[in-house]
Amino acid sequence: MYYFTGVMSFIAQSLRTPVIFLAFLVLIEVVSFASADKSFEDVRCKCICPPYRNITGHIYKKNVTQKDCNCLHVVEPMPVPGHDVEAYCLLCECKYEERSSNTIKVTIIIYLSVVGALLLYMLFLLLIDPLIRKHDPYTMPLQNEEDSEDVRPRVDGARGNTVLERVEGAQQRWKKQVQEQRKTVFDRHKLLS
Amino acid sequence: MESEQLFNRGYGRNSYNSITSASSDEELLDGAGVIMDFHTTEDDNLLDGDASPGSNYAMSNGGGGGGGASSSTHLLDLLEEPIPGVGTYDDFHTIDWVREKCKDRERHRKINSKKKESAWEFTKSLYDAWSGWLVVTLTGLASGALAGGIDIAADWMNDLKEGVCLSAMWFNHEQCCWGSNKTTFAERDKCPQWKTWAELILGQEQGPGSYIMNYFMFTFWALSFAFLAVSLVKVFAPYACGSGIPEIKTILSGFIIRGYLGKWTLMIKTITLVLAVASGLSLGKEGPLVHVACCCGNIFSYLFPKYSKNEAKKREVLSAASAAGVSVAFGAPIGGVLFSLEEVSYYFPLKTLWRSFFAALVAAFVLRSINPFGNSRLVLFYVEYHTPWYLFELFPFILLGVFGGLWGAFFIRANIAWCRRRKSTRFGKYPVLEVITVAAITAIVAFPNPYTRQNTSELIKELFTDCGPLESSQLCQYRSLMNGSQADPTGPDTASAATPGVYSAMWQLSLALVFKIIMTIFTFGLKVPSGLFIPSMAIGAIAGRIVGIAVEQLAYYHHDWFVFREWCEVGADCITPGLYAMVGAAACLGGVTRMTVSLVVIVFELTGGLEYIVPLMAAVMTSKWVGDAFGREGIYEAHIRLNGYPFLDAKEEFTHTTLAREVMRPRRSDPPLAVLTQDDMTLAELQGIISETSYNGFPVIVSKESQRLVGFALRRDITIAIENARRKQEGIVLNSRVYFTQHAPTLPADSPRPLKLRSILDMSPFTVTDHTPMEIVVDIFRKLGLRQCLVTHNGIVLGIITKKNILEHLEEIKQHVEPLTPPWYYYKKRYPPSYGPDGKPRPRVHNVQLAPSSSHYQEDEIEEEVRLLDNSSL
C-alpha cells in the first residue's frame, strides 16, 4: 500500500513542478509518432544522378513506394535516349527516405512554448517579482542574502492549507536552492569551472 | 548571517522531514517520505544486531549471521521509534558503499522472507525484483525521446540563423526542401520555400548587401541564442552548465551533489543545450546528453523505493543511464555500454552491465523511431565505406594518432590553465559576458568560412563522406576531373592538376582547423551546456581529411614509388580520404578523453565497417601513448582535479611506502582525536563535542581509561537522533545520560531519563592497524568504496583516515615527486575561496574542496550543523 501512496504523492508533488512539461513532451512525441500516418509529403524517393556525357547532374525527388524507388520510376523526364537509359540509371543512386513532419512540428512548437514560458517566468522573477514584493518583509529579491533568514517562517508555511500557499512555499524553497547553486557555481567556483 | 539562515532552513526541514538538505529533488523526496518512515525500521535492525558484532557491515559474513542476530533484538527495537533520516547523507558528502550495500542486502532479505506470507507480499517482491529493469526501461525511453527532441530542435534552430522556411515555419533547411524539385545537383539545399534573411528583409538574394545582411543576422541569432542559454542557466539551474561528465564520474564514485541530477537541471539542460548548439559555439551535445540521461535515471529512480532509498543502488541506475546517453548521442548502443564501463562508472557489476545494455537498446530504439534526421540513422554523420585499406596506410594513420595525442595533451593543458584562470581570478565573475564574447567572436570569425559556418555535425559528415561521382562539394571537385574515368569514360583521365577547388578547400579547412582549436579551448568550460566530443572529432576529422588528400595526391603524382606501385594503379581509387578523417576524429577524441575500447567501438558503430577496426585501434592507441607521455590524465580527470572533487581514481597506482599511521588524523601536532564514550556522557557533553568540532563522525570507545573501540557514530545521525528524541521522548534534558550500550548504565535514582543511541551506532567500522601500508589502505578504499577507516593499535583507537585524507596524501606525494605540476594545490594557495562576491568573508566553509593541510581537520567541515545544535539547545 505504501508504494501506492508514495507514488501518488510523488505524482501530486511533481504536478507543481515543471517536470510535467518534459513528461508532456515525451508523451506528445510518442503519440505524434504513433499517430503520424505516412502523409503525402512524408516519404520521398531521392535520386541523385551525376553528370553524364553532356548532361549535368540532377536530383530527382518523387513520392513513390519503397519498392518503386529506383531510377526508372523516379527519373522523369529521362534526359537520355532509350538505349542509354540503362547506363545512365546505373550511375544514379536512389534512396528512400521518410520523416515525420508531425513529430517535427510538435517538437518545435513544444520547444518554443517551453522556452517562451521560461523566458516569461525569468522576466517575471527578475523584473516584476522584486517590485511586487518590495514591502513584503518575508521575501526579498533573489540576490539579497541579508534578509533571507526571515524566509524561514515562510518556508515552514510551505505546508499551508491552501494550494496557493503550498505553491508559494515550494517556489520559495526552489528559489533558495537555485540561489545556493548559483553561489556554488558562479561565486565560489566550487563546481563546474 | 547567511549560514545561520542556511542552517535554519536545514533545521526547519529536519523537523518536518527526514531529509536535511534541501535540493531540487526535494519534492520527490518528500513524496517518498511515507515510504521512508516505513523502511527505517530495517536500518535500525541492521544497525542493532549486537549479538554478532561485525556481522552487520562486514561484507563477507553479512549474509549468514545478520538476519538471525537482528531478529533476537527485534522485540526490543520495536519499542523504539525508528528515527527518520538516519542513514542519509548531506550535500557534498561521500557515501559509504559498504553501508549502502549492506542496507540493500538487508532489505532484500526482508522482502524475500516475507514473500510467502501473502499474495500481496509476493506481488511486492515481484515488483521489487523487476523495478531494476523497469527503471532502466523508463530511463531509456525518456533519454531516447529527449535526444530526439534535442536533435530536431537543434537542427531547426541552427538553420534559423540562415533563414526561415516560409511554407512551414517548423522545418529546417533540409526538411523545407524535402519534396522540392527545384534543387539542383550543385546546390542541393536551394529551394524557393527556404528564404534567407537577406531575401526576406532586403528582397535580394545575391550581392554584397545581402551578404552583409546574412552576416549580421547570423551573428545576431548566434548572440541571442548564447545570451538566452546563459541567462536561463544562470537564473534557473546553474548546475546545468558544462559537460557534466566529470561531475557524473564523481557522483558515480559516491559523491552527493544535491540537485545536480534534478528536474530543473534536466529541463534547463535540455532547453539550453539546443540553444548552445544552435548558437554555433564550438561545442557538442554528446557529453551533455549523458548528463540528461543521468537526470532521467535519477528522476525515475525516485519511483522505486529500492533505488530512491539507497545511494549505492541509485548509482547502478545512473551507470545504465550514462550508457543510454552515449547510445543516443552517437547511435552506438554497445559503445555506450563500454563508455559507461570504461569512462564513467566506478562500481559496475555484471547486473549493471546487462541493465546498461538494455537501457542503451531501448534508448536507441526510441531515437530510431523518432528518426530525427530523416535518414533512418541515429546520427547525422553515419557513413559507410566499402573500400579496402592497405598496410602502408597504417603509417599515416599512426601519424594521425600522434597528432591526436599531441592535440589532446595541448588541449588539456591549455583548457585547464584557462579554467583555472576563470576559477581563481576576477575574470570568472562575468559568466554572461564571457559567453557573449566567445559567441560573438565565434560567429564573426566563423561566418566567412563555409566550413566553420555550418553546423559541426554537418561538417563532420561532409568530411567523413567519401568523394564519389554523386558528391558535388568543393572537397570533391577534383574527382570529376582527375578520376573522371568512372563517371565518364570519355573524359580526360589525367587532368588532376586542375584542382583549384580542392586547394581552396584545403586552405579553408586549415583555417577552420586553427579556428576550431583556438575556440574549443576557450569554449569548453563556459557556463552553458557544452560537450567536447563533437569539436574534438571535428578537429581530428579536418586534420585527417587534409592528411588523406595529401596522401592521395602523393599517390596520384608518384604512383611509381615503390610503396604505391604494388597496389595503387594509375587512375585507380586507392586512397579514401574520408577514412582518414574518421581515423583522425577517433585519434583526437582519444587524445582528449584517453578512452580506448569504447571509442573504437563507438566509431566502428558509426561506420559499420569491420575492416577499419585495425586502423582505428592503431590510431587510438598511438594517441593514448603520445598523450600519456605528456600527462596521464584525460580531460575529465583533469577537470575533477581542478575542481577538487573527492574522486579516488581506480586507474592510478599507489607505489609509496607510507604507513597508515603517517596518514591518519590527528597528526602529531593536532589536538587529540574527538571521541565519544559509550555510557558515561551527558547530552550536554555530547552536544559540546559536536558543536566544538566539525568532524563528520566520532569513534565510540569503551571509556576514557580503556580507549578500546566500540563503534562509530556519524555526526549527522547523532544530531538527527537527538533532535528526534527531543521531540518524541519525555524527560530528555541537558544532563540526561547518553549511552550506546545495549542496557542503560546504572544511574542514581534522581537522574533524568537516559537517552539510548545504540540504533545509530555502527558496530563494525572498518579498522586497520597503525602499521598497515597505505598501499593496502588505498586499495581497501577503492575496492570497497569506504568513507572512513579507523586506525587502531591493540584495539585502542589512534586515529582516523578518510577518503579526503587519502586524496590529500596522494596529492602531497605528487607534489613531492613532480613539483612542477600542482594544478589544484596551486590554485588553492593563491585563492582562498572564502570570500563572497562582495568581498566580505563568507562564514561557510568550503566543503567540496580538500582542506588545506594547515587547518586541522579530519573530515570536511559543516558549520551549519554546528549551529544547529547551538540553536536548538534548550
Side-chain angles (χ1 to χ4, degrees):
Chain A
M1 206 45 213
Y2 61 90
Y3 284 128
F4 183 69
T5 329
V7 168
M8 283 317 285
S9 67
F10 160 74
I11 291 170
Q13 303 262 345
S14 66
L15 275 172
R16 294 204 306 249
T17 67
V19 80
I20 198 74
F21 279 116
L22 286 169
F24 184 65
L25 190 144
V26 171
L27 189 78
I28 291 288
E29 200 112 314
V30 171
V31 166
S32 72
F33 169 72
S35 65
D37 49 343
K38 297 279 174 287
S39 72
F40 187 64
E41 53 185 26
D42 271 1
V43 295
R44 71 174 176 189
C45 179
K46 183 178 172 188
C47 287
I48 306 175
C49 295
Y52 177 72
R53 297 191 191 233
N54 48 2
I55 305 161
T56 53
H58 209 282
I59 293 179
Y60 301 91
K61 290 171 188 163
K62 208 175 172 190
N63 273 316
V64 289
T65 56
Q66 188 157 15
K67 83 176 171 2
D68 283 344
C69 183
N70 53 36
C71 170
L72 294 175
H73 285 85
V74 175
V75 176
E76 56 186 29
M78 192 59 83
V80 289
H83 62 273
D84 248 5
V85 166
E86 204 175 335
Y88 185 70
C89 271
L90 272 178
L91 295 174
C92 294
E93 189 186 301
C94 290
K95 251 192 279 177
Y96 180 77
E97 290 177 330
E98 53 188 13
R99 65 170 180 184
S100 166
S101 47
N102 269 339
T103 311
I104 295 174
K105 186 164 143 188
V106 170
T107 307
I108 297 294
I109 289 171
I110 290 176
Y111 179 78
L112 285 183
S113 40
V114 172
V115 171
L118 282 176
L119 207 58
L120 287 180
Y121 190 42
M122 185 166 82
L123 292 179
F124 171 77
L125 282 182
L126 292 180
L127 301 177
I128 302 170
D129 210 32
L131 288 180
I132 297 176
R133 291 166 192 273
K134 219 175 206 167
H135 307 292
D136 193 340
Y138 287 133
T139 45
M140 290 307 284
L142 280 174
Q143 274 72 26
N144 200 330
E145 295 170 15
E146 298 303 313
D147 300 68
S148 36
E149 63 184 307
D150 293 335
V151 179
R152 204 190 124 208
R154 193 117 196 156
V155 172
D156 288 358
R159 312 279 147 160
N161 297 324
T162 66
V163 176
L164 201 68
E165 274 173 31
R166 287 170 65 106
V167 171
E168 186 82 18
Q171 196 200 13
Q172 289 306 322
R173 268 206 318 270
W174 171 73
K175 273 191 194 171
K176 284 277 152 291
Q177 292 155 17
V178 176
Q179 195 176 328
E180 206 40 46
Q181 290 188 8
R182 212 174 290 141
K183 270 187 253 158
T184 310
V185 174
F186 293 112
D187 300 341
R188 292 184 207 125
H189 295 281
K190 265 178 4 185
L191 289 175
L192 295 157
S193 298
Chain B
M1 272 314 236
E2 176 216 342
S3 83
E4 194 122 12
Q5 172 267 317
L6 275 175
F7 140 65
N8 278 338
R9 185 202 50 197
Y11 164 56
R13 298 209 42 76
N14 230 345
S15 37
Y16 276 105
N17 197 355
S18 42
I19 311 296
T20 2
S21 43
S23 71
S24 76
D25 305 338
E26 198 168 46
E27 285 88 347
L28 292 168
L29 284 166
D30 286 357
V34 190
I35 307 162
M36 173 172 285
D37 287 6
F38 201 89
H39 267 251
T40 30
T41 36
E42 292 170 8
D43 302 347
D44 287 359
N45 293 340
L46 184 67
L47 286 158
D48 230 353
D50 70 323
S52 60
S55 73
N56 300 309
Y57 280 171
M59 297 194 66
S60 52
N61 56 356
S70 59
S71 64
S72 65
T73 54
H74 212 131
L75 270 177
L76 223 148
D77 293 326
L78 280 183
L79 298 176
E80 285 179 20
E81 292 253 325
I83 303 170
V86 167
T88 54
Y89 299 93
D90 269 325
D91 206 357
F92 303 130
H93 276 219
T94 308
I95 68 164
D96 194 333
W97 287 85
V98 180
R99 183 165 112 164
E100 297 293 308
K101 279 181 218 160
C102 289
K103 227 162 87 181
D104 181 63
R105 215 168 296 133
E106 189 66 26
R107 193 195 56 83
H108 189 72
R109 217 174 287 135
K110 194 146 216 157
I111 286 178
N112 257 1
S113 64
K114 271 191 186 169
K115 190 160 85 177
K116 300 195 180 75
E117 283 172 14
S118 67
W120 172 239
E121 294 290 341
F122 185 71
T123 327
K124 267 201 316 200
S125 77
L126 273 186
Y127 172 72
D128 187 75
W130 268 92
S131 55
W133 294 100
L134 272 176
V135 68
V136 294
T137 314
L138 289 173
T139 308
L141 284 172
S143 35
L146 283 176
I150 289 172
D151 282 341
I152 292 175
D155 277 358
W156 176 74
M157 278 220 140
N158 192 55
D159 286 348
L160 195 64
K161 284 186 299 184
E162 283 174 29
V164 72
C165 189
L166 279 189
S167 57
M169 233 270 292
W170 51 87
F171 282 148
N172 65 9
H173 196 161
E174 201 199 330
Q175 305 290 344
C176 190
C177 303
W178 173 266
S180 167
N181 268 327
K182 298 275 168 46
T183 51
T184 60
F185 186 75
E187 294 189 24
R188 297 186 180 186
D189 48 3
K190 268 225 167 122
C191 65
Q193 288 92 335
W194 180 259
K195 297 273 186 222
T196 61
W197 290 111
E199 266 177 278
L200 273 180
I201 298 169
L202 299 177
Q204 57 181 13
E205 207 178 327
Q206 299 294 329
S210 64
Y211 184 82
I212 289 167
M213 192 68 211
N214 279 332
Y215 202 157
F216 173 74
M217 287 308 284
F218 184 89
T219 317
F220 168 75
W221 282 114
L223 281 181
S224 349
F225 292 157
F227 176 68
L228 192 55
V230 72
S231 9
L232 285 176
V233 164
K234 189 164 182 189
V235 171
F236 291 115
Y239 282 174
C241 64
S243 114
I245 293 181
E247 284 74 25
I248 285 169
K249 270 186 89 154
T250 315
I251 288 176
L252 284 180
S253 81
F255 195 49
I256 302 238
I257 309 178
R258 296 220 178 270
Y260 194 73
L261 300 173
K263 311 176 288 289
W264 272 96
T265 312
L266 172 63
M267 186 168 82
I268 295 301
K269 191 131 194 170
T270 312
I271 299 290
T272 52
L273 179 56
V274 172
L275 290 168
V277 170
S279 71
L281 286 166
S282 177
L283 47 83
K285 59 179 161 29
E286 275 66 13
L289 270 179
V290 176
H291 186 185
V292 165
C294 280
C295 289
C296 293
N298 182 50
I299 288 169
F300 283 120
S301 74
Y302 279 108
L303 291 173
F304 302 93
K306 183 179 177 182
Y307 293 97
S308 57
K309 291 285 105 49
N310 195 308
E311 294 290 342
K313 297 294 279 180
K314 195 187 282 173
R315 275 154 182 77
E316 292 180 14
V317 176
L318 294 183
S319 290
S322 61
V326 174
S327 163
V328 288
F330 288 107
I334 300 185
V337 176
L338 287 174
F339 174 82
S340 174
L341 174 66
E342 184 179 356
E343 188 63 32
V344 286
S345 290
Y346 186 81
Y347 167 68
F348 201 81
L350 266 188
K351 203 166 64 178
T352 312
L353 181 78
W354 298 321
R355 289 195 179 140
S356 309
F357 186 71
F358 186 65
L361 164 81
V362 172
F365 171 76
V366 172
L367 184 62
R368 171 65 189 81
S369 318
I370 292 173
N371 191 8
F373 301 109
N375 61 356
S376 306
R377 299 289 178 197
L378 298 177
V379 273
L380 193 59
F381 40 84
Y382 180 91
V383 280
E384 253 174 303
Y385 302 131
H386 297 291
T387 48
W389 59 279
Y390 302 93
L391 201 60
F392 159 75
E393 286 183 283
L394 271 182
F395 179 68
F397 291 152
I398 286 173
L399 266 186
L400 282 175
V402 172
F403 171 78
L406 290 176
W407 148 251
F410 168 70
F411 174 77
I412 292 170
R413 289 264 168 110
N415 183 253
I416 291 295
W418 183 248
C419 284
R420 188 172 310 126
R421 169 169 285 266
R422 182 187 292 135
K423 200 178 164 98
S424 54
T425 60
R426 290 193 57 78
F427 167 68
K429 301 266 178 265
Y430 311 101
V432 180
L433 204 64
E434 188 192 357
V435 172
I436 299 283
T437 317
V438 175
I441 294 172
T442 311
I444 288 170
V445 180
F447 187 81
N449 188 338
Y451 291 104
T452 49
R453 190 193 309 174
Q454 74 198 126
N455 188 350
T456 318
S457 297
E458 277 168 23
L459 171 67
I460 293 176
K461 182 191 177 192
E462 191 178 332
L463 293 169
F464 278 9
T465 312
D466 204 20
C467 285
L470 301 175
E471 294 302 318
S472 69
S473 71
Q474 199 185 13
L475 273 174
C476 294
Q477 274 183 6
Y478 62 100
R479 270 292 160 195
S480 53
L481 298 168
M482 181 177 88
N483 218 353
S485 52
Q486 281 185 351
D488 187 357
T490 63
D493 203 14
T494 52
S496 65
T499 56
V502 180
Y503 286 129
S504 70
M506 287 296 98
W507 268 112
Q508 287 169 347
L509 277 182
S510 311
L511 289 177
L513 181 66
V514 173
F515 168 76
K516 287 267 175 204
I517 285 177
I518 294 171
M519 286 325 289
T520 308
I521 289 169
F522 294 107
T523 306
F524 190 67
L526 284 185
K527 294 285 181 272
V528 288
S530 57
L532 186 61
F533 285 179
I534 288 286
S536 284
M537 284 179 81
I539 287 165
I542 295 173
R545 187 84 188 202
I546 292 174
V547 170
I549 290 177
V551 172
E552 187 187 42
Q553 293 297 311
L554 203 67
Y556 185 80
Y557 285 114
H558 305 281
H559 48 74
D560 49 343
W561 284 12
F562 105 100
V563 284
F564 299 121
R565 196 165 33 195
E566 288 171 23
W567 46 271
C568 202
E569 290 160 22
V570 182
D573 188 13
C574 49
I575 307 277
T576 318
L579 178 61
Y580 284 72
M582 175 145 18
V583 171
C588 279
L589 198 46
V592 171
T593 61
R594 305 290 155 81
M595 297 192 290
T596 49
V597 185
S598 45
L599 185 59
V600 170
V601 174
I602 287 173
V603 179
F604 151 66
E605 282 185 87
L606 280 180
T607 57
L610 269 172
E611 64 242 69
Y612 305 119
I613 282 196
V614 171
L616 287 172
M617 284 169 76
V620 169
M621 206 61 239
T622 320
S623 119
K624 189 177 165 62
W625 280 335
V626 173
D628 281 354
F630 289 94
R632 291 193 67 81
E633 51 188 15
I635 184 76
Y636 300 129
E637 286 86 20
H639 270 268
I640 285 175
R641 251 162 60 101
L642 174 74
N643 284 314
Y645 300 143
F647 178 75
L648 202 54
D649 199 350
K651 287 167 199 157
E652 263 176 62
E653 287 160 27
F654 185 87
T655 49
H656 288 262
T657 52
T658 39
L659 295 180
R661 198 177 39 186
E662 297 157 38
V663 179
M664 74 177 192
R665 299 295 190 278
R667 295 260 167 102
R668 289 235 168 84
S669 52
D670 294 350
L673 187 69
V675 290
L676 310 175
T677 50
Q678 65 172 351
D679 58 0
D680 54 359
M681 290 178 84
T682 61
L683 189 58
E685 283 167 352
L686 178 62
Q687 289 191 341
I689 289 183
I690 287 183
S691 55
E692 277 158 24
T693 60
S694 53
Y695 310 136
N696 276 331
F698 303 92
V700 179
I701 55 173
V702 174
S703 63
K704 290 274 183 214
E705 293 77 43
S706 86
Q707 301 247 331
R708 285 184 198 280
L709 178 66
V710 175
F712 192 79
L714 290 174
R715 174 201 198 92
R716 179 183 165 90
D717 290 355
I718 296 174
T719 51
I720 290 174
I722 292 175
E723 202 49 53
N724 193 55
R726 280 263 169 72
R727 278 187 292 117
K728 300 246 173 84
Q729 292 178 33
E730 297 278 315
I732 300 292
V733 290
L734 274 181
N735 53 354
S736 302
R737 190 69 76 85
V738 176
Y739 65 103
F740 293 94
T741 45
Q742 182 65 38
H743 302 288
T746 46
L747 296 169
D750 56 340
S751 59
R753 194 179 149 181
L755 172 60
K756 183 177 178 182
L757 288 180
R758 192 179 180 76
S759 62
I760 59 157
L761 182 67
D762 176 359
M763 301 286 290
S764 57
F766 246 91
T767 53
V768 294
T769 60
D770 53 344
H771 277 81
T772 317
M774 273 313 282
E775 240 174 297
I776 295 177
V777 178
V778 171
D779 241 26
I780 295 176
F781 267 83
R782 267 185 202 148
K783 294 199 171 134
L784 300 182
L786 290 187
R787 186 183 181 181
Q788 73 275 317
C789 178
L790 296 171
V791 182
T792 59
H793 180 79
N794 292 340
I796 292 169
V797 190
L798 291 184
I800 186 169
I801 299 178
T802 64
K803 197 171 177 180
K804 299 198 175 178
N805 296 145
I806 288 190
L807 285 165
E808 263 175 49
H809 182 63
L810 289 177
E811 202 56 35
E812 267 168 34
I813 286 171
K814 218 167 243 173
Q815 297 281 308
H816 214 67
V817 176
E818 22 175 333
L820 279 177
T821 51
W824 71 350
Y825 217 74
Y826 184 54
Y827 133 71
K828 261 192 319 202
K829 278 184 185 158
R830 285 180 49 191
Y831 179 65
S834 47
Y835 291 91
D838 46 355
K840 280 187 290 183
R842 279 185 182 285
R844 255 200 114 185
V845 172
H846 218 199
N847 47 19
V848 181
Q849 305 284 349
L850 284 181
S853 48
S854 58
S855 78
H856 330 283
Y857 63 71
Q858 294 170 313
E859 297 170 47
D860 36 3
E861 304 181 357
I862 306 280
E863 281 201 0
E864 291 101 76
E865 298 220 349
V866 178
R867 310 207 175 194
L868 169 61
L869 284 163
D870 288 342
N871 278 29
S872 59
S873 53
L874 292 171

